[in-house]
Amino acid sequence: MGGAALCAAGGVSPSPLAPSCVTGRPASLPPVHTLQVHFNNRQQPDQSLTPGVQRIVRHASGQVRLGDDSVGPLLLARFCTDQRGVWLQVASGVRGIHVNGRPVQRMALLRAGDSVYADGAEMLLRGQCESVAQPPEAPTETGDDLRVLLRGVGGRHHGRSFTLDRPRNVGSEAANDIVIDDPAFAGRHARFERHGDKVLLRDLGSGEGSLVNGVATRHCWLQGGDQVVFDGGHRFVLEMPRNAAAAPLPAPEEPALAEQAEKAPASPRKRSHRWPWLLLSALLLGAAISALLLFGAR
C-alpha cells in the first residue's frame, strides 16, 4: 500500500495529511477521553496517552518500549495526540507496523479498542466503558430510527451494516443476526438492544465476555463511536446521531406567497411607444432618397 494510511474505525485508506501535535486543546472543541496503551505481553505497565508525542522505540536487546526519549534506541513510530484525536505516525523506512491486522506505512488515526502491532509487541488502546452490573429488562418495543446501526470494520462482517431497529443477537449459531463463524465461540454470545435513545450490549452467558473500547465487559451501555470486538478480530463500531430520539422534522409551510401571486390580478402591459418613431424615421429616409434621385437626375 503506497502513500499515507489513515486508519479510522479499523480501516485503512490513503490520506496525504500529517497531523501537527499540540499540547493543548481549543476551548471550542469537545474533550477527547484519555486513552491508555496496554501491552498484551505485559512488557510495560499501562500508560496514558497525554497531549503531545510519545515514541515507540526498539532497544538493542529487541525490547519495544513506549515513551523512551533517549537517543540510542531505534525509533519505530510515534503516538501523537492533538485536538483531532490520537494518531500513529510510522518512522521513515520502518516496516511491520500494523493496526487491527492491516499494515500502515505512514500514519493512522486511531480509536479506542484498536490494536497496534509494532515489531513483535502488541499494544491495545483502552478507552472508557460504561459497564452495567444489573442490566434492565429487555425492551418490549422496537425502535424505528434506521440511523442507529452497527458497522462492521474488521473480520468476516467488514463493510456490512446492521440497523438496531430491533434487537440483534450475536453468536456462532446460524439463527443469530450476526454470526461469528468459530466453533469455540458461544452459540448465543450477546445481544444489542435499543432502550430509548441508548444502546445496551447484553451478555447472554458467554464465557469470555466482549471487548468495548478495549475493555473486557459483559453488560455495557454504548455510545456513538464505541468499538465492540468479538473473538479477537470481529470488530463493529456503533453509529448513531447525537440525539437518536430527535423529533421529526416539521412539515414544510404552505406556499402562501405562491398562492397570493396566482390570485393577484395580472398588471396590464405597458403599450409600446416605439412604433411611431420608427414610422417617422422611415418616412424621412424615403423622402431623402427621393430628393437625391430627383435632383441627381437634373
Side-chain angles (χ1 to χ4, degrees):
M1 178 183 62
L6 173 63
C7 179
V12 177
S13 60
S15 174
L17 301 178
S20 57
C21 294
V22 296
T23 57
R25 292 180 52 81
S28 59
L29 292 174
V32 171
H33 298 303
T34 301
L35 300 181
Q36 285 193 332
V37 179
H38 170 75
F39 282 81
N40 288 345
N41 56 5
R42 301 192 179 277
Q43 289 181 341
Q44 289 183 247
D46 293 354
Q47 295 189 36
S48 298
L49 292 178
T50 56
V53 177
Q54 289 175 268
R55 293 158 38 102
I56 305 173
V57 300
R58 184 185 65 202
H59 286 263
S61 61
Q63 188 178 31
V64 175
R65 306 285 294 179
L66 174 64
D68 192 336
D69 294 330
S70 57
V71 179
L74 175 65
L75 176 64
L76 300 176
R78 304 179 185 88
F79 286 117
C80 177
T81 305
D82 62 13
Q83 65 268 22
R84 292 167 290 180
V86 178
W87 297 77
L88 177 69
Q89 291 182 317
V90 180
S92 178
V94 174
R95 297 291 182 268
I97 307 296
H98 294 75
V99 174
N100 299 336
R102 299 190 175 193
V104 178
Q105 291 188 358
R106 186 178 174 189
M107 69 179 180
L109 177 60
L110 306 176
R111 68 166 71 243
D114 282 343
S115 179
V116 179
Y117 180 89
D119 201 22
E122 186 175 4
M123 293 163 278
L124 178 65
L125 269 64
R126 288 180 170 176
Q128 294 183 342
C129 174
E130 187 180 352
S131 297
V132 181
Q134 295 293 332
E137 296 292 330
T140 57
E141 299 181 356
T142 58
D144 56 356
D145 192 346
L146 300 181
R147 298 175 298 173
V148 181
L149 55 87
L150 288 171
R151 188 175 302 280
V153 296
R156 173 186 175 185
H157 299 285
H158 178 81
R160 297 186 60 186
S161 297
F162 301 88
T163 58
L164 297 183
D165 53 334
R166 59 184 177 87
R168 297 285 187 175
N169 292 329
V170 182
S172 60
E173 296 178 356
N176 289 289
D177 301 282
I178 303 175
V179 178
I180 305 300
D181 191 10
D182 184 352
F185 198 71
R188 297 178 71 249
H189 180 92
R191 181 168 60 235
F192 292 93
E193 301 173 353
R194 285 284 305 276
H195 290 259
D197 59 346
K198 302 178 69 177
V199 175
L200 175 70
L201 173 65
R202 182 191 300 272
D203 189 86
L204 299 180
S206 68
E208 67 278 6
S210 308
L211 283 180
V212 175
N213 294 335
V215 179
T217 185
R218 293 192 177 276
H219 313 293
C220 177
W221 289 114
L222 301 178
Q223 300 180 3
D226 285 349
Q227 182 173 191
V228 184
V229 182
F230 301 112
D231 199 31
H234 299 273
R235 298 176 177 273
F236 300 86
V237 171
L238 176 64
E239 295 185 0
M240 60 191 306
R242 290 184 179 274
N243 183 10
L249 296 176
E253 298 181 358
E254 295 294 332
L257 296 178
E259 293 181 359
Q260 293 178 3
E262 292 179 359
K263 295 179 180 179
S267 58
R269 297 179 62 183
K270 295 183 179 181
R271 301 179 63 182
S272 176
H273 299 285
R274 297 176 61 187
W275 289 107
W277 291 104
L278 292 175
L279 182 59
L280 180 59
S281 300
L283 292 175
L284 292 175
L285 181 59
I289 294 175
S290 300
L292 288 175
L293 293 175
L294 178 62
F295 289 105
R298 294 180 179 178

